[in-house]
Amino acid sequence: MSAVLDTHAPHGGHDDDDHGHHGAPYGWRRWVYATNHKDIGTMYLVFAFTMLMVGGVLALLIRAELFQPGLQFVNPGMFNQLTTMHGLIMVFGAIMPAFVGFANWMIPLQIGAPDMAFARMNNLSFWLLIPAAVMIVGSFFMPGGAPAAGWTLYAPLTLQMGPSMDAGIFALHILGASSIMGSINIIVTILNMRAPGMALMKMPLFCWTWLITAYLLIAVMPVLAGAITMTLTDRHFGTHFFNPAGGGDPVMYQHIFWFFGHPEVYIMILPAFGIISAVVPAFARKPLFGYASMVYATASIAILSFIVWAHHMFTTGMPVTGQLFFMYATMLIAVPTGVKVFNWIATMWRGSMTFETPMLWAVGFIFVFTMGGFTGLILAMAPIDIQLQDTYYVVAHFHYVLVAGSLYGMFAGYYFWAPKWTGVMYEEFHGKVHFWSSLVFFNITFFPMHFLGLAGMPRRYADYPMQFADFNMLASIGAFGFGLSQVYFFFTVVLPMMQGKGRRAPQRPWNDPDGAGAEGLEWEVPSPAPFHTFETPPKLNPAATKVIA
């Protein structure tokens, strides 16, 4: 049964060309003054992909240095700058803005809203990213080079850095302000602008995951702002929050940072859960198994994320009682995560599965993300974590979660929704080459790191003894292959779609002739989605019992 009765209502009662202001504006003003959620979503995605490439180049410089023992290309100080900036750029410049781009594009389409609630604030929240990115990347050219304290910006190292540290702190403040404004916009849009008849528990799961993520962002970005402001006052105004010479405590910084940092991990993965929850039912041609339990699991993950921060700190000398609490709390997060994985697999069970590129990315996500989750469970055990702390095992774990989690989820979402955005289909062959090359090279890069960590190789070291040489060489080869796969993706998939080259996308590109496949309001508008959609609220079928998933 369709969720929509009137399929002509969604893209408005009038044509886009009825009034001059209804069509898309032209030229640079369209982008600089953009208030349309689709244009702003596009700008977020372009910005995020650009920063992904910048952060990727830094990662390849790191792997080039580690290709063999000895110092090849950079000195240890520069190496630390590369590791620090790679982390900051990927987390704050690539992953987070990309998911906000998906939210901008899809949330109004999925809930039948004409736009985001605060269109001008939406514009400001995007344009704040540009000066922040310039400051972060430009810090390489400041006296003393870029910050080299690790992406966690631990004191007392941050108190000893040059002026680029202040630029980094300022940039993070700006990025935090952007995130908070974007989150307020998303919350107000979802709570107040849903189409009549769309109850919260009938909402697509992508909207649910973003609603919960937005609350997380509002809760924790001010905590990060507090930590880096205290660092700033320690550096310039004579305070001693984190400086042991003045009675300060560097471990306090770790507590404050990780109180932000652990929910931040889920901020970077929950929207990917929402995307996978849209893709899997579409290609299994079945409703999502256990919709309500997925919503509760997402909320549970978000709530539990606030009480596990010190599992990053088992080696700081906390009492055994503290270690036990954080160990058990961390293991508890595996339960709602396991519910999600179970529900995705149950959705696929006995479905009419086809494996177009979005589904390949979704299945790849489930497989590799689950592996990353298991390595995290191992690190949750305090005695083992004390052995593996700050080794390449930790690097392998969080890249399995963040690359195979966040990034794979984004690729699934891009291949799934881009035909609706651009009006053209990507070439299936190129999508599959991109998927398989990324999957293979990703595992060649990061799987050996588990063994390096178990053998005791510490992270953030520019050099290493001979016994680690083979696995490092393998990881470096994989990293260059993975990087080239993303370049291939840009030139064979993204660019042709942006230029409108390719087969025209139908309104419902993923549906069978009998109508089974992708469901939801976004598939009720033409491809490409008109500049203005849902000027007249769509009429939802009040008798529809099928959840739009």
PDB file of all heavy atoms in Angstrom, residues 78-93:
ATOM      1  N   MET A  78      57.552  16.634  11.669  1.00  0.00           N
ATOM      2  CA  MET A  78      56.602  16.761  10.558  1.00  0.00           C
ATOM      3  C   MET A  78      55.646  15.571  10.534  1.00  0.00           C
ATOM      4  O   MET A  78      54.457  15.720  10.230  1.00  0.00           O
ATOM      5  CB  MET A  78      57.374  16.846   9.231  1.00  0.00           C
ATOM      6  CG  MET A  78      56.481  17.040   8.016  1.00  0.00           C
ATOM      7  SD  MET A  78      55.623  18.622   8.103  1.00  0.00           S
ATOM      8  CE  MET A  78      54.594  18.520   6.650  1.00  0.00           C
ATOM      9  N   PHE A  79      56.158  14.393  10.866  1.00  0.00           N
ATOM     10  CA  PHE A  79      55.316  13.196  10.899  1.00  0.00           C
ATOM     11  C   PHE A  79      54.170  13.383  11.898  1.00  0.00           C
ATOM     12  O   PHE A  79      53.015  13.045  11.618  1.00  0.00           O
ATOM     13  CB  PHE A  79      56.169  11.975  11.279  1.00  0.00           C
ATOM     14  CG  PHE A  79      55.424  10.672  11.204  1.00  0.00           C
ATOM     15  CD1 PHE A  79      55.316   9.992   9.997  1.00  0.00           C
ATOM     16  CD2 PHE A  79      54.826  10.133  12.337  1.00  0.00           C
ATOM     17  CE1 PHE A  79      54.629   8.779   9.920  1.00  0.00           C
ATOM     18  CE2 PHE A  79      54.133   8.924  12.265  1.00  0.00           C
ATOM     19  CZ  PHE A  79      54.036   8.251  11.057  1.00  0.00           C
ATOM     20  N   ASN A  80      54.497  13.959  13.068  1.00  0.00           N
ATOM     21  CA  ASN A  80      53.455  14.205  14.073  1.00  0.00           C
ATOM     22  C   ASN A  80      52.454  15.249  13.597  1.00  0.00           C
ATOM     23  O   ASN A  80      51.265  15.181  13.917  1.00  0.00           O
ATOM     24  CB  ASN A  80      54.082  14.633  15.405  1.00  0.00           C
ATOM     25  CG  ASN A  80      54.686  13.452  16.139  1.00  0.00           C
ATOM     26  OD1 ASN A  80      54.424  12.309  15.791  1.00  0.00           O
ATOM     27  ND2 ASN A  80      55.507  13.730  17.143  1.00  0.00           N
ATOM     28  N   GLN A  81      52.931  16.246  12.836  1.00  0.00           N
ATOM     29  CA  GLN A  81      51.995  17.207  12.250  1.00  0.00           C
ATOM     30  C   GLN A  81      51.035  16.502  11.290  1.00  0.00           C
ATOM     31  O   GLN A  81      49.831  16.772  11.278  1.00  0.00           O
ATOM     32  CB  GLN A  81      52.762  18.303  11.498  1.00  0.00           C
ATOM     33  CG  GLN A  81      53.595  19.218  12.381  1.00  0.00           C
ATOM     34  CD  GLN A  81      54.393  20.224  11.571  1.00  0.00           C
ATOM     35  OE1 GLN A  81      53.925  20.725  10.553  1.00  0.00           O
ATOM     36  NE2 GLN A  81      55.611  20.514  12.009  1.00  0.00           N
ATOM     37  N   LEU A  82      51.580  15.592  10.491  1.00  0.00           N
ATOM     38  CA  LEU A  82      50.736  14.879   9.511  1.00  0.00           C
ATOM     39  C   LEU A  82      49.679  14.032  10.220  1.00  0.00           C
ATOM     40  O   LEU A  82      48.497  14.049   9.830  1.00  0.00           O
ATOM     41  CB  LEU A  82      51.603  13.980   8.616  1.00  0.00           C
ATOM     42  CG  LEU A  82      52.559  14.678   7.650  1.00  0.00           C
ATOM     43  CD1 LEU A  82      53.444  13.654   6.940  1.00  0.00           C
ATOM     44  CD2 LEU A  82      51.786  15.497   6.616  1.00  0.00           C
ATOM     45  N   THR A  83      50.077  13.296  11.268  1.00  0.00           N
ATOM     46  CA  THR A  83      49.089  12.444  11.951  1.00  0.00           C
ATOM     47  C   THR A  83      48.013  13.296  12.632  1.00  0.00           C
ATOM     48  O   THR A  83      46.828  12.957  12.591  1.00  0.00           O
ATOM     49  CB  THR A  83      49.764  11.527  12.995  1.00  0.00           C
ATOM     50  OG1 THR A  83      50.549  12.322  13.886  1.00  0.00           O
ATOM     51  CG2 THR A  83      50.643  10.491  12.334  1.00  0.00           C
ATOM     52  N   THR A  84      48.423  14.410  13.231  1.00  0.00           N
ATOM     53  CA  THR A  84      47.464  15.290  13.907  1.00  0.00           C
ATOM     54  C   THR A  84      46.474  15.880  12.915  1.00  0.00           C
ATOM     55  O   THR A  84      45.253  15.821  13.118  1.00  0.00           O
ATOM     56  CB  THR A  84      48.214  16.426  14.628  1.00  0.00           C
ATOM     57  OG1 THR A  84      49.135  15.856  15.554  1.00  0.00           O
ATOM     58  CG2 THR A  84      47.255  17.354  15.350  1.00  0.00           C
ATOM     59  N   MET A  85      46.998  16.453  11.821  1.00  0.00           N
ATOM     60  CA  MET A  85      46.125  17.140  10.880  1.00  0.00           C
ATOM     61  C   MET A  85      45.264  16.157  10.089  1.00  0.00           C
ATOM     62  O   MET A  85      44.131  16.471   9.719  1.00  0.00           O
ATOM     63  CB  MET A  85      46.951  18.014   9.938  1.00  0.00           C
ATOM     64  CG  MET A  85      47.770  19.082  10.652  1.00  0.00           C
ATOM     65  SD  MET A  85      46.782  20.029  11.829  1.00  0.00           S
ATOM     66  CE  MET A  85      45.779  20.966  10.711  1.00  0.00           C
ATOM     67  N   HIS A  86      45.795  14.971   9.814  1.00  0.00           N
ATOM     68  CA  HIS A  86      44.979  13.945   9.147  1.00  0.00           C
ATOM     69  C   HIS A  86      43.734  13.649   9.992  1.00  0.00           C
ATOM     70  O   HIS A  86      42.608  13.628   9.472  1.00  0.00           O
ATOM     71  CB  HIS A  86      45.801  12.668   8.945  1.00  0.00           C
ATOM     72  CG  HIS A  86      44.978  11.465   8.587  1.00  0.00           C
ATOM     73  ND1 HIS A  86      44.344  11.338   7.365  1.00  0.00           N
ATOM     74  CD2 HIS A  86      44.670  10.345   9.283  1.00  0.00           C
ATOM     75  CE1 HIS A  86      43.686  10.179   7.335  1.00  0.00           C
ATOM     76  NE2 HIS A  86      43.870   9.566   8.488  1.00  0.00           N
ATOM     77  N   GLY A  87      43.929  13.448  11.289  1.00  0.00           N
ATOM     78  CA  GLY A  87      42.795  13.147  12.163  1.00  0.00           C
ATOM     79  C   GLY A  87      41.800  14.287  12.237  1.00  0.00           C
ATOM     80  O   GLY A  87      40.588  14.095  12.077  1.00  0.00           O
ATOM     81  N   LEU A  88      42.295  15.504  12.468  1.00  0.00           N
ATOM     82  CA  LEU A  88      41.392  16.656  12.609  1.00  0.00           C
ATOM     83  C   LEU A  88      40.614  16.916  11.322  1.00  0.00           C
ATOM     84  O   LEU A  88      39.403  17.176  11.345  1.00  0.00           O
ATOM     85  CB  LEU A  88      42.194  17.909  12.989  1.00  0.00           C
ATOM     86  CG  LEU A  88      42.730  17.962  14.428  1.00  0.00           C
ATOM     87  CD1 LEU A  88      43.639  19.171  14.608  1.00  0.00           C
ATOM     88  CD2 LEU A  88      41.583  18.014  15.432  1.00  0.00           C
ATOM     89  N   ILE A  89      41.314  16.841  10.184  1.00  0.00           N
ATOM     90  CA  ILE A  89      40.653  17.146   8.901  1.00  0.00           C
ATOM     91  C   ILE A  89      39.618  16.080   8.567  1.00  0.00           C
ATOM     92  O   ILE A  89      38.503  16.389   8.126  1.00  0.00           O
ATOM     93  CB  ILE A  89      41.703  17.282   7.778  1.00  0.00           C
ATOM     94  CG1 ILE A  89      42.470  18.601   7.952  1.00  0.00           C
ATOM     95  CG2 ILE A  89      41.059  17.213   6.396  1.00  0.00           C
ATOM     96  CD1 ILE A  89      43.696  18.727   7.064  1.00  0.00           C
ATOM     97  N   MET A  90      39.943  14.808   8.791  1.00  0.00           N
ATOM     98  CA  MET A  90      38.995  13.741   8.467  1.00  0.00           C
ATOM     99  C   MET A  90      37.754  13.805   9.364  1.00  0.00           C
ATOM    100  O   MET A  90      36.629  13.656   8.884  1.00  0.00           O
ATOM    101  CB  MET A  90      39.663  12.375   8.597  1.00  0.00           C
ATOM    102  CG  MET A  90      40.653  12.071   7.489  1.00  0.00           C
ATOM    103  SD  MET A  90      39.893  12.175   5.851  1.00  0.00           S
ATOM    104  CE  MET A  90      41.025  11.190   4.887  1.00  0.00           C
ATOM    105  N   VAL A  91      37.947  14.034  10.664  1.00  0.00           N
ATOM    106  CA  VAL A  91      36.805  14.025  11.587  1.00  0.00           C
ATOM    107  C   VAL A  91      35.946  15.267  11.405  1.00  0.00           C
ATOM    108  O   VAL A  91      34.729  15.186  11.197  1.00  0.00           O
ATOM    109  CB  VAL A  91      37.293  13.915  13.048  1.00  0.00           C
ATOM    110  CG1 VAL A  91      36.145  14.160  14.022  1.00  0.00           C
ATOM    111  CG2 VAL A  91      37.907  12.542  13.304  1.00  0.00           C
ATOM    112  N   PHE A  92      36.570  16.454  11.475  1.00  0.00           N
ATOM    113  CA  PHE A  92      35.798  17.700  11.493  1.00  0.00           C
ATOM    114  C   PHE A  92      35.573  18.282  10.099  1.00  0.00           C
ATOM    115  O   PHE A  92      34.671  19.102   9.914  1.00  0.00           O
ATOM    116  CB  PHE A  92      36.494  18.739  12.384  1.00  0.00           C
ATOM    117  CG  PHE A  92      36.553  18.332  13.826  1.00  0.00           C
ATOM    118  CD1 PHE A  92      37.737  17.854  14.394  1.00  0.00           C
ATOM    119  CD2 PHE A  92      35.424  18.402  14.628  1.00  0.00           C
ATOM    120  CE1 PHE A  92      37.787  17.472  15.722  1.00  0.00           C
ATOM    121  CE2 PHE A  92      35.473  18.013  15.966  1.00  0.00           C
ATOM    122  CZ  PHE A  92      36.657  17.553  16.505  1.00  0.00           C
ATOM    123  N   GLY A  93      36.411  17.895   9.130  1.00  0.00           N
ATOM    124  CA  GLY A  93      36.286  18.474   7.794  1.00  0.00           C
ATOM    125  C   GLY A  93      35.618  17.571   6.786  1.00  0.00           C
ATOM    126  O   GLY A  93      35.023  18.051   5.821  1.00  0.00           O
TER     127      GLY A  93
END
